[in-house]
Amino acid sequence: ITGYHYMDKMSSNSTRMYEESLLSVKWINQLKTNLNETQSNLLEMMLSTDVKYKTKLKTKLDENAAKNKDLVTKITGIALNEEESGAFKSFEELNGKYGELVIKTIEQATQNNQVAYQVFNNEVSPQGIKTGEALDKLVGLKESAAEQFQKSSASDSATSHVMIILTIIIAIVVMTL
């Protein structure tokens, strides 16, 4: 029974590690990728003079924003400890400001590329760096949590092995009496 208890606990830890740590790291990394793609599309939008191409880029930027919103919603649904919650809240604040600046830059890029570039260079890019750093911190915290789950599972595995071996030894001793 004890062996089953520890195996069940290891299974639970593995599931939590996957759902709470590894999936969230995957989503956070996707957010970072989307952050880079957004900046790339903004730069292209400012460099282009083709109105149709700018419209296509704006559509990509809007799609990216929608994907990011979905990813943030998914991360919100994951259990976070106090430190992770603080880091996530910091990211949300930075990301909200970043989104506002992206919208401002898109508006400028449809009217005046020079002003758009100034907004991008002076505001969007630095805010993007801060937002990326907040994501890096959150990834570090989630990776640390995954390591703790792994250590707990390893410890439970060792305990389970000892308990099973002791149970077998006791059974052998009892049967030989």
Side-chain angles (χ1 to χ4, degrees), residues 13 17 142-154:
N13 279 347
M17 180 172 33
K142 294 311 278 180
E143 286 174 347
S144 177
E147 288 174 15
Q148 291 303 316
F149 285 133
Q150 193 279 330
K151 287 177 184 177
S152 177
S153 289

Side-chain angles (χ1 to χ4, degrees), residues 146-164:
E147 288 174 15
Q148 291 303 316
F149 285 133
Q150 193 279 330
K151 287 177 184 177
S152 177
S153 289
S155 173
D156 290 343
S157 175
T159 303
S160 175
H161 285 112
V162 168
M163 294 303 291
I164 290 171

